[in-house]
């Protein structure tokens, strides 16, 4: 057992990022960069990494294609950072193979739903200052969330004061629908568009009828002006 533990700690490769430790876990390559005061995701992570730990750092954002070159990646731990912004294409290139993504304990208020709904990974989103809105509700309904952490997704801010401080799951279980406002806005937009088309068609019909009436009157005056149609004098 001690020999097996020793194997896990054997460094591999010469391209390990500075301040990180590169090891193997059951034959799968791991990059361990926990608690290294990193402010961004290292650029020189080896391409064949399977497990990537970036927890307990000072990373503030996840840009587009941050992990695209890591095609073997299965687990990412980004918990306990200072992440506020996640781009919609942040996990492009690894969505199909990723099995676990930990974003808990950050400063995330909102996130583009396309960044998460494309993933098949189990997500941990707890302990962030979430703004409870429609996109977060859709993530809760459609994404694969870690069951143990779902109840710790709490509304730090929300459209209604009574939701603030409550777990999002509790708010939704009580019958709230954070997407209803968007639906009403969509319905109003559709009605306005339909009214606009109706008004345009109605105006066209009225103008067409008026034009035809003027043409008919002009045609009648022309006919009465013809010599053969003048009234005969007795």
């Amino acid at each position: 057992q001690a020999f097996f533990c020793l194997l896990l700690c054997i460094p591999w490769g010469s391209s390990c990022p500075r301040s990180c430790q590169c090891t193997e876990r059951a034959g799968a390559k791991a990059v361990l960069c926990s608690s290294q005061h990193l402010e961004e995701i290292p650029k020189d992570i080896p391409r064949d990494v399977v497990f990537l730990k970036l927890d307990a750092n000072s990373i503030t954002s996840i840009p587009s294609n941050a992990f695209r070159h890591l095609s073997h990646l299965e687990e990412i731990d980004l918990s306990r950072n200072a992440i506020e912004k996640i781009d919609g294409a942040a996990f492009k290139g690894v969505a199909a193979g990723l099995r676990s993504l930990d974003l808990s304990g950050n400063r995330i208020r909102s996130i583009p739903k396309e960044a998460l709904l494309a993933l098949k990974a189990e997500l941990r989103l707890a302990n962030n200052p979430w703004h409870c809105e429609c996109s977060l509700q859709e993530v809760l309904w459609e994404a694969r969330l870690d069951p143990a952490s779902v109840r710790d997704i709490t509304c730090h801010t929300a459209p209604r004061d009574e939701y603030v401080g409550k777990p999002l799951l509790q708010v939704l279980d009580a019958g709230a629908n954070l997407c209803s406002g968007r639906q009403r806005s969509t319905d109003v937009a559709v009605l306005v568009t339909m009214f606009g088309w109706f008004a345009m068609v109605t105006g066209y019909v009225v103008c067409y009828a008026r034009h035809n009436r003027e043409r008919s009157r002009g045609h009648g005056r022309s006919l009465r002006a013809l010599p053969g149609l003048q009234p005969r004098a007795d």
Side-chain angles (χ1 to χ4, degrees):
Q1 187 177 21
F3 178 73
F4 180 74
C5 292
L6 180 62
L7 285 178
L8 294 184
C9 297
I10 295 175
W12 50 269
S14 58
S15 60
C16 190
R18 178 183 292 183
S19 302
C20 298
Q21 181 184 9
C22 297
T23 66
E24 287 196 12
R25 293 181 174 181
K29 296 184 177 180
V31 175
L32 312 178
C33 307
S34 304
S35 304
Q36 296 300 316
H37 308 290
L38 298 175
E39 296 182 357
E40 61 181 16
I41 297 168
K43 301 290 192 300
D44 52 349
I45 298 173
R47 292 179 175 271
D48 51 353
V49 62
V50 176
F51 305 105
L52 178 60
K53 285 184 67 64
L54 293 163
D55 56 304
N57 282 291
S58 301
I59 297 170
T60 58
S61 65
I62 307 177
S64 296
N65 303 310
F67 307 100
R68 189 170 186 174
H69 64 292
L70 307 177
S71 58
H72 299 279
L73 200 55
E74 295 183 5
E75 296 184 14
I76 306 175
D77 186 355
L78 284 159
S79 63
R80 296 181 294 144
N81 273 278
I83 297 170
E84 296 180 356
K85 182 180 178 182
I86 299 177
D87 192 86
F91 304 104
K92 188 174 182 180
V94 297
L98 203 62
R99 295 190 292 109
S100 176
L101 173 62
D102 193 343
L103 292 169
S104 60
N106 280 281
R107 301 175 184 174
I108 306 169
R109 297 188 70 252
S110 63
I111 187 170
K113 63 180 182 180
E114 60 268 21
L116 298 182
L117 294 184
L119 299 176
K120 299 178 181 178
E122 184 176 75
L123 304 175
R124 296 179 181 88
L125 305 176
N127 302 316
N128 281 284
W130 290 106
H131 174 65
C132 290
E133 57 185 348
C134 183
S135 60
L136 183 59
Q137 174 179 305
E138 291 175 340
V139 167
L140 190 68
W141 282 348
E142 300 178 37
R144 184 181 166 219
L145 300 179
D146 173 37
S149 65
V150 170
R151 292 192 175 277
D152 292 322
I153 301 175
T154 303
C155 298
H156 184 73
T157 57
R160 299 176 62 172
D161 290 341
E162 60 262 37
Y163 301 157
V164 175
K166 294 182 179 179
L168 177 58
L169 193 61
Q170 179 182 335
V171 171
L172 298 179
D173 284 345
N177 185 357
L178 302 176
C179 295
S180 60
R182 178 181 296 182
Q183 184 62 45
R184 284 196 297 270
S185 299
T186 302
D187 293 342
V188 170
V190 170
L191 288 174
V192 169
T193 303
M194 291 178 63
F195 178 79
W197 277 103
F198 179 76
M200 186 177 67
V201 172
T202 302
Y204 175 80
V205 171
V206 170
C207 290
Y208 182 77
R210 183 178 298 172
H211 178 69
N212 281 348
R213 186 165 61 248
E214 293 296 331
R215 287 186 60 188
S216 298
R217 289 176 180 175
H219 185 63
R221 286 194 295 269
S222 299
L223 288 177
R224 287 195 297 273
L226 292 176
L229 295 180
Q230 296 293 328
R232 294 181 179 181
D234 293 335

